[in-house]
Amino acid sequence: MANSPQARKRARQAEKRRQHNAAMRSMVRTYLKKVNAAIASGDQGAAQEAYTQAVSVLDKATRKGKFHPNKAARHKSRLNTKIKAMAA
């Protein structure tokens, strides 16, 4: 356990950041699930709309360092491929 005042403060800050980061990751996952649900339902318009929102949230989280840029790009690429396959 932290004993010095600065160590206690750092522990408080770390916990606050951990909770915020967990909330951001959870939000991104929720948006990705919405896209996958729209793809599964077969509605390309809804899938495209959900994809646009998910990309925005994912890019924002990536800019803030919650995700590695390559992971974000991989998710976007795979989802976009699935949406384009619906049109064919």
Side-chain angles (χ1 to χ4, degrees):
M1 185 60 204
N3 287 321
S4 65
Q6 59 264 43
R8 284 191 206 105
K9 180 177 179 180
R10 292 303 267 165
R12 281 196 311 270
Q13 289 174 331
E15 179 60 19
K16 189 175 180 181
R17 284 193 189 99
R18 186 189 68 79
Q19 290 180 356
H20 184 258
N21 290 345
M24 290 286 286
R25 282 194 309 270
S26 175
M27 183 173 66
V28 169
R29 286 193 206 110
T30 300
Y31 275 89
L32 294 176
K33 285 178 193 173
K34 287 179 183 178
V35 177
N36 283 320
I39 290 170
S41 72
D43 185 358
Q44 188 180 8
Q48 187 62 47
E49 180 62 33
Y51 174 77
T52 305
Q53 291 176 346
V55 165
S56 175
V57 172
L58 185 58
D59 285 343
K60 186 174 180 182
T62 303
R63 275 195 309 274
K64 293 174 183 273
K66 311 305 181 216
F67 291 98
H68 192 280
N70 289 359
K71 179 175 181 166
R74 186 175 66 240
H75 276 292
K76 291 190 291 188
S77 175
R78 288 180 182 171
L79 288 173
N80 201 26
T81 302
K82 288 180 184 177
I83 291 172
K84 286 186 176 180
M86 293 171 73

